[in-house]
Amino acid sequence: MSAPPGSGPLQRPEASLEDIRRAFQSLTTADWVKLDAYAELRIRVVGISAPGRDPYYLFMQAMNSLETGRRHWYPDNVDLVKFLTDAMWSISSNWARQREATGYVQVPETDLIRYSEQGEELESVLEQAQSQDASPEEQLIRSEFQTQEQLVKEIEGLFKDNPLASLIVDGWTARMKGREIIEALNIDENQYRTAARLVRRRIKARWPKGMPDVR
Amino acid sequence: MSAEDDPRRPLDGILEGLSESVAREDPEELLEEARTAGQGPGSIAQRLKDIALAALKKFEQRKLETAREAYYLRATKGPENKASVASTPDERKRQLSAILQSNPEIGAVLTAQHREFESLSDEDVQSALEDLAELGFLGDPTGTARKE
């Protein structure tokens, strides 16, 4: 069995539960907001109308993976926020791949544990999502949603007055990474970040409660 | 339908791009964005923090439970029980006989396996006593099993 990445002899040890607790206690409001914003977007990547979608659930899975040893956190290599965003990326990407292959998300047994704020185990997302078939009422509601193409057009329309933001959104729709877009447009990191902020802010202003469901 | 024709791909791309931009963003900037959007960053942070701390508490409880089980197993398989198996073949046979007299149901199982008590080899006796020790029969002078 190979050792986890970063576990060489000169490596400081993996974080203990106490290290993790201390790290959580020291997170700022801004750090928590970042984790929340990231979880919200990643759960939408899984499926914009996936049943039982819930950013808190995704966050819990990242925490569970830490506890069960499926992922290892070495605080000297990466901070807790980065560790958790990487974990959420990995988990949600797996779910998204499953959705592409099968049309729905099969959450593994090991990912089912979920807690209330009081530490009680809650009904799992899988239990919530067990019925793959939408009820007639749900089907009626879904039929009134705009299509994914319509939503993309609407998003693109928000940046017609800003060529750089518009090009960045074009890059995203072509599945380019930030680094690739920066290179292709010959811009620097700051220019990219500034334009990406504008994109996020306009999307948030257009849909303050989150992007709409689509069919 | 090929992956390239999937109507989700452009939308997925936008969502991937947005999430990547959040991952590389300064948290203070995201805090400001949340404030501007009137999202109540304090309550967002508190909710996530409560979930994280509740989960940590649960992890700690599970660790405690695991440690307790490990301690219990060590205690029941510990040196005191091994020591309580008699040291010579004759003593072991007498010890087993005493337990079987107090617990005829065990005698029935044992003789079903080995036909006759007298025909048990010393190895059989030793093995039976070790099994009974694990079940707690040897820790009690009356030769009855430990009550849970």
Side-chain angles (χ1 to χ4, degrees), chain A residues 17 21 34 36 38 42 56 60 67 99 115 117 119 148 172 178 189 193 197 200-201 204, chain B residues 8 12-13 16 19-25 29 33 39 44 47-48 51 58-60 62:
Chain A
L17 214 48
R21 178 177 284 281
K34 178 170 182 165
D36 180 77
Y38 190 75
R42 291 309 304 176
Y56 298 111
M60 275 305 311
E67 187 223 359
R99 187 213 63 207
Y115 309 106
E117 289 161 28
Q148 293 170 31
W172 288 347
E189 174 82 25
R193 277 197 191 199
R197 277 175 202 151
R200 287 199 308 269
R201 283 176 187 251
K204 209 166 248 181
Chain B
R8 277 203 65 90
D12 284 348
E16 285 279 359
S19 64
E20 192 205 4
S21 80
V22 165
R24 61 203 296 167
E25 188 57 276
E29 181 62 39
E33 284 180 21
Q39 285 187 314
I44 290 173
R47 173 142 194 217
L48 217 54
I51 291 173
K58 200 84 181 175
F59 299 169
E60 284 163 347
R62 273 204 220 118

Side-chain angles (χ1 to χ4, degrees), chain A residues 17 20-21 24-25 28-38 41-42 44-45 47-48 56 59-60 63-64 67 89 99-100 113 115-119 121 148-149 151-152 155 169 172-173 175 177-179 182 189 192-193 196-197 199-201 203-204 208 211 214, chain B residues 1 3-64 66:
Chain A
L17 214 48
I20 297 168
R21 178 177 284 281
F24 271 117
Q25 294 286 10
T28 64
T29 299
D31 291 328
W32 288 110
V33 165
K34 178 170 182 165
L35 288 168
D36 180 77
Y38 190 75
L41 284 164
R42 291 309 304 176
R44 285 183 170 269
V45 170
I48 210 155
Y56 298 111
F59 176 72
M60 275 305 311
M63 296 227 20
N64 285 347
E67 187 223 359
W89 180 86
R99 187 213 63 207
E100 278 181 18
I113 308 158
Y115 309 106
S116 72
E117 289 161 28
Q118 288 73 40
E121 286 192 19
Q148 293 170 31
E149 293 91 333
L151 180 57
V152 169
I155 293 168
V169 171
W172 288 347
T173 60
R175 308 301 294 254
K177 301 276 179 203
R179 178 58 46 203
I182 287 170
E189 174 82 25
Y192 178 78
R193 277 197 191 199
R197 277 175 202 151
V199 174
R200 287 199 308 269
R201 283 176 187 251
I203 286 177
K204 209 166 248 181
M211 271 192 259
V214 290
Chain B
M1 182 177 65
E4 295 303 318
D5 299 330
D6 184 346
R8 277 203 65 90
R9 288 184 66 82
L11 184 58
D12 284 348
I14 291 173
L15 293 166
E16 285 279 359
L18 284 169
S19 64
E20 192 205 4
S21 80
V22 165
R24 61 203 296 167
E25 188 57 276
D26 176 4
E28 293 299 329
E29 181 62 39
L30 295 165
L31 178 64
E32 190 49 40
E33 284 180 21
R35 282 198 185 115
T36 306
Q39 285 187 314
S43 58
I44 290 173
Q46 195 57 51
R47 173 142 194 217
L48 217 54
K49 187 174 184 177
D50 287 346
I51 291 173
L53 295 180
L56 277 176
K57 188 176 167 190
K58 200 84 181 175
F59 299 169
E60 284 163 347
Q61 284 170 342
R62 273 204 220 118
K63 272 190 106 171
L64 207 63
T66 307

Side-chain angles (χ1 to χ4, degrees), chain A residues 89-109:
Chain A
W89 180 86
S90 173
I91 294 165
S92 58
S93 297
N94 276 337
W95 292 350
R97 274 194 293 275
Q98 283 177 21
R99 187 213 63 207
E100 278 181 18
T102 64
Y104 63 92
V105 176
Q106 177 76 53
V107 182
E109 278 292 314

Side-chain angles (χ1 to χ4, degrees), chain B:
Chain B
M1 182 177 65
S2 76
E4 295 303 318
D5 299 330
D6 184 346
R8 277 203 65 90
R9 288 184 66 82
L11 184 58
D12 284 348
I14 291 173
L15 293 166
E16 285 279 359
L18 284 169
S19 64
E20 192 205 4
S21 80
V22 165
R24 61 203 296 167
E25 188 57 276
D26 176 4
E28 293 299 329
E29 181 62 39
L30 295 165
L31 178 64
E32 190 49 40
E33 284 180 21
R35 282 198 185 115
T36 306
Q39 285 187 314
S43 58
I44 290 173
Q46 195 57 51
R47 173 142 194 217
L48 217 54
K49 187 174 184 177
D50 287 346
I51 291 173
L53 295 180
L56 277 176
K57 188 176 167 190
K58 200 84 181 175
F59 299 169
E60 284 163 347
Q61 284 170 342
R62 273 204 220 118
K63 272 190 106 171
L64 207 63
E65 188 73 18
T66 307
R68 200 178 291 136
E69 281 171 14
Y71 173 80
Y72 176 76
L73 278 174
R74 273 200 308 277
T76 54
K77 290 184 176 175
E80 55 271 79
N81 280 338
K82 282 181 184 160
S84 65
V85 175
S87 56
T88 67
D90 285 346
E91 284 171 351
R92 283 195 283 273
K93 212 155 193 174
R94 276 199 294 277
Q95 194 177 20
L96 183 57
S97 172
I99 293 171
L100 298 186
Q101 277 176 11
S102 308
N103 303 274
E105 71 283 8
I106 296 175
V109 174
L110 209 63
T111 48
Q113 285 174 343
H114 298 279
R115 297 186 183 280
E116 291 210 33
F117 180 78
E118 288 307 318
S119 70
L120 292 176
S121 69
D122 182 49
E123 278 176 357
D124 293 333
V125 173
Q126 172 89 33
S127 162
L129 283 171
E130 283 171 0
D131 290 344
L132 291 167
E134 281 188 20
L135 293 169
F137 282 87
L138 270 64
D140 186 331
T142 63
T144 52
R146 180 183 54 242
K147 298 289 184 287
E148 298 298 333

Side-chain angles (χ1 to χ4, degrees), chain A residues 20-201:
Chain A
I20 297 168
R21 178 177 284 281
R22 268 199 302 272
F24 271 117
Q25 294 286 10
S26 67
L27 293 184
T28 64
T29 299
D31 291 328
W32 288 110
V33 165
K34 178 170 182 165
L35 288 168
D36 180 77
Y38 190 75
E40 166 70 28
L41 284 164
R42 291 309 304 176
I43 212 74
R44 285 183 170 269
V45 170
V46 175
I48 210 155
S49 37
R53 69 168 192 265
D54 180 346
Y56 298 111
Y57 178 70
L58 177 60
F59 176 72
M60 275 305 311
Q61 299 327 304
M63 296 227 20
N64 285 347
S65 71
L66 188 59
E67 187 223 359
T68 56
R70 276 178 290 150
R71 288 186 175 80
H72 303 269
W73 177 42
Y74 297 93
D76 284 358
N77 291 0
V78 66
D79 65 35
L80 183 60
V81 173
K82 172 89 169 95
F83 171 83
L84 288 169
T85 51
D86 285 352
M88 286 194 277
W89 180 86
S90 173
I91 294 165
S92 58
S93 297
N94 276 337
W95 292 350
R97 274 194 293 275
Q98 283 177 21
R99 187 213 63 207
E100 278 181 18
T102 64
Y104 63 92
V105 176
Q106 177 76 53
V107 182
E109 278 292 314
T110 46
D111 285 351
L112 293 180
I113 308 158
R114 188 177 188 220
Y115 309 106
S116 72
E117 289 161 28
Q118 288 73 40
E120 304 291 326
E121 286 192 19
L122 293 178
E123 182 188 26
S124 73
V125 163
L126 189 62
E127 283 162 349
Q128 291 172 21
Q130 260 174 353
S131 171
Q132 299 296 329
D133 303 321
S135 67
E137 197 178 321
E138 284 169 333
Q139 285 174 9
L140 185 65
I141 292 169
R142 284 184 192 181
S143 71
E144 290 170 0
F145 293 161
Q146 62 188 142
T147 63
Q148 293 170 31
E149 293 91 333
Q150 285 168 335
L151 180 57
V152 169
K153 286 259 177 282
E154 193 171 353
I155 293 168
E156 287 170 341
L158 296 174
F159 310 105
K160 281 186 175 158
D161 64 330
N162 189 309
L164 181 55
S166 185
L167 285 168
I168 287 173
V169 171
D170 284 349
W172 288 347
T173 60
R175 308 301 294 254
M176 291 169 77
K177 301 276 179 203
R179 178 58 46 203
E180 294 169 325
I181 295 172
I182 287 170
E183 280 176 21
L185 297 178
N186 198 22
I187 56 175
D188 63 29
E189 174 82 25
N190 275 342
Q191 287 172 297
Y192 178 78
R193 277 197 191 199
T194 304
R197 277 175 202 151
L198 176 92
V199 174
R200 287 199 308 269
R201 283 176 187 251

